[in-house]
């Protein structure tokens, strides 16, 4: 007998992303008309093909939003000092509002040194320790883009967060951990799972909202998900045939969940969108400070 249970509703990241971009474009245009164009500089060291693709996407998205963007591409053997000096010069440049260091970096450059060199006021990726620490108190200047995008997807879909049981699979510094802090700030009850978690299912099955960011194709399957749960798949895994899949087995999980994000077209578009929002917000703050001075 075929399964007649209704499939989960799709959370359409492309549509929500377009809406958010249109709203923020109005703010970017207003800044351009009143004071100056918001500016983002991307620093990339070495030519990693995957990073190159991400960077080109970000630069194209900037152009569409009316943000002036610049790529500073350094050879793979560039010394750390050169990159740090470039970041410090950008910190002092009033036409640059956001600085992004594209990861990964070659081994001679410490990721920590590079990220800490960025002024917290221009740290539009939200990876500086100041911004990471601000997530604890709810006073971060720039929320990190992927978790910020997940929150935006939930809010724009009208899914309540307060008081919900949230499980996050994945505890990385850029997704899982900040995601957990953002949910806690919104008064959800949070479990963060990682490789050493014993019996993953006991956590996933308890979740009203399940966020999966492990980088493991089809890690979460239908029997691991509570009926009616909201499932957000952050994972991006490229198969040998070139297609992309997430960390969630879409077929089995979409029969249990009430809402689910597709891959591609779910969280991915939101990450770039939130970078654009953070850059426009940085420019707005910079001009508000100039006006107040
Ligand atoms: P990392 O590899 O840095 O972290 C993966 C996390 O998942 C780690 O905490 C790891 O645990 C945990 N993990 C791995 N396997 C398991 C498992 N079997 N059970 C439980 N936990 C597990 O990855 P990222 O956080 O950078 O990215 C995660 C995924 O999200 C990737 O597919 C990436 O491509 C994607 N991504 C998507 C973005 C988007 O815009 N859609 C943006 C950023 C990332 P431990 O800490 O113990 O090693």
């Amino acid at each position: 007998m075929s399964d007649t249970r209704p499939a989960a509703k799709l959370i359409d990241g492309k549509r929500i992303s377009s809406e958010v971009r249109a709203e923020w474009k109005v703010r970017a245009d207003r800044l351009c008309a009143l004071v100056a164009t918001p500016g983002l500089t991307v620093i990339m060291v070495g030519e990693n093909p995957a990073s190159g693709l991400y960077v080109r996407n970000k630069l194209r998205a900037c152009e569409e939003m009316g943000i002036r963007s610049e790529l500073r591409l350094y050879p793979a053997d560039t010394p750390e000092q050169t990159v740090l000096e470039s970041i410090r010069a950008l910190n002092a440049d009033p036409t640059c509002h956001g600085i992004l260091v594209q990861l990964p970096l070659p081994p001679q450059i410490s990721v920590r040194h590079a990220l800490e060199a960025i002024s917290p006021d221009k740290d539009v990726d939200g990876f500086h320790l100041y911004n990471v620490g601000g997530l604890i108190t709810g006073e971060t200047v720039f929320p990190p883009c992927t978790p910020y995008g997940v929150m935006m997807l939930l809010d724009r879909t009208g899914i309540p967060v307060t008081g919900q049981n949230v499980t996050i699979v994945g505890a990385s510094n850029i997704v899982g951990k900040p995601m957990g802090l953002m949910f806690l700030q919104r008064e959800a009850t949070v479990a963060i799972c990682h490789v050493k978690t014993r019996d993953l299912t006991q956590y996933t099955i308890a979740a009203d909202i399940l966020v999966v960011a492990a980088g493991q194709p089809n890690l979460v399957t239908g029997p691991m998900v509570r009926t009616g749960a909201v499932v957000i798949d952050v994972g991006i895994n490229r198969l040998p045939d070139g297609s992309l899949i997430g960390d969630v087995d879409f077929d089995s999980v979409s029969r249990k969940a009430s809402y689910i994000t597709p891959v591609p077209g779910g969280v991915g578009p939101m990450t770039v969108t939130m970078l654009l929002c953070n850059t426009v917000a940085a420019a707005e703050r910079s001009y508000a400070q100039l006006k107040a001075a």
Side-chain angles (χ1 to χ4, degrees):
M1 225 170 67
S2 66
D3 191 341
T4 53
R5 278 175 295 182
K9 288 189 189 138
L10 274 191
I11 300 179
D12 185 347
K14 274 196 194 158
R15 181 184 55 77
I16 295 174
S17 171
S18 307
E19 285 169 13
V20 174
R21 286 188 197 193
E23 289 162 21
W24 281 77
K25 183 159 187 349
V26 174
R27 292 167 68 160
D29 289 347
R30 194 183 309 137
L31 270 176
C32 288
L34 289 177
V35 268
T37 309
L40 172 74
T41 300
V42 179
I43 293 182
M44 186 166 151
V45 189
E47 294 233 39
N48 171 322
S51 302
L53 182 68
Y54 287 134
V55 167
R56 279 197 299 282
N57 284 343
K58 287 170 190 170
L59 298 180
R60 191 172 348 104
C62 280
E63 201 181 310
E64 286 163 12
M65 172 78 93
I67 293 172
R68 185 187 54 77
S69 64
E70 177 201 11
L71 171 62
R72 293 200 178 175
L73 178 60
Y74 292 93
D77 59 356
T78 304
E80 179 179 279
Q81 199 49 33
T82 307
V83 173
L84 297 185
E85 278 164 16
S86 172
I87 294 171
R88 289 188 193 115
L90 288 167
N91 285 340
D93 177 352
T95 68
C96 168
H97 305 102
I99 305 169
L100 184 156
V101 174
Q102 183 65 38
L103 303 179
L105 290 169
Q108 77 278 12
I109 302 174
S110 148
V111 171
R112 253 309 126 217
H113 291 170
L115 296 181
E116 297 323 314
I118 300 172
S119 160
D121 289 332
K122 299 191 178 189
D123 172 39
V124 286
D125 243 350
F127 292 163
H128 188 286
L129 277 183
Y130 180 91
N131 280 319
V132 174
L135 288 171
I136 304 266
T137 55
E139 289 161 8
T140 193
V141 185
F142 299 108
C145 299
T146 301
Y148 188 13
V150 170
M151 279 299 177
M152 187 68 81
L153 285 177
L154 294 172
D155 289 342
R156 297 263 167 157
T157 310
I159 294 165
V161 170
T162 305
Q164 301 297 296
N165 288 339
V166 176
T167 297
I168 299 160
V169 182
S172 71
N173 290 341
I174 62 167
V175 186
K177 286 181 200 162
M179 187 81 259
L181 290 168
M182 287 169 83
F183 275 116
L184 197 55
Q185 190 63 32
R186 297 274 298 270
E187 297 181 297
T189 304
V190 182
I192 304 181
C193 305
H194 43 79
V195 168
K196 302 278 167 54
T197 299
R198 281 185 289 124
D199 186 8
L200 187 59
T201 300
Q202 70 168 312
Y203 294 96
T204 58
I205 201 90
D208 302 309
I209 300 173
L210 176 61
V211 180
V212 190
Q216 302 291 326
N218 298 331
L219 175 66
V220 171
T221 56
M224 298 168 73
V225 175
R226 193 177 67 73
T227 301
V230 174
V231 179
I232 307 289
D233 190 354
V234 180
I236 302 177
N237 307 287
R238 194 170 286 281
L239 296 179
D241 68 1
S243 59
L244 294 181
I245 61 164
D247 290 351
V248 170
D249 175 40
F250 188 87
D251 285 348
S252 64
V253 172
S254 62
R255 289 178 200 285
K256 297 276 291 287
S258 57
Y259 287 92
I260 190 167
T261 57
V263 177
V267 177
M270 295 303 290
T271 297
V272 179
T273 297
M274 302 335 286
L275 172 71
L276 304 176
C277 299
N278 276 346
T279 304
V280 175
E284 286 176 344
R285 269 189 215 123
S286 151
Y287 289 117
Q289 280 164 8
L290 275 181
K291 230 168 119 183

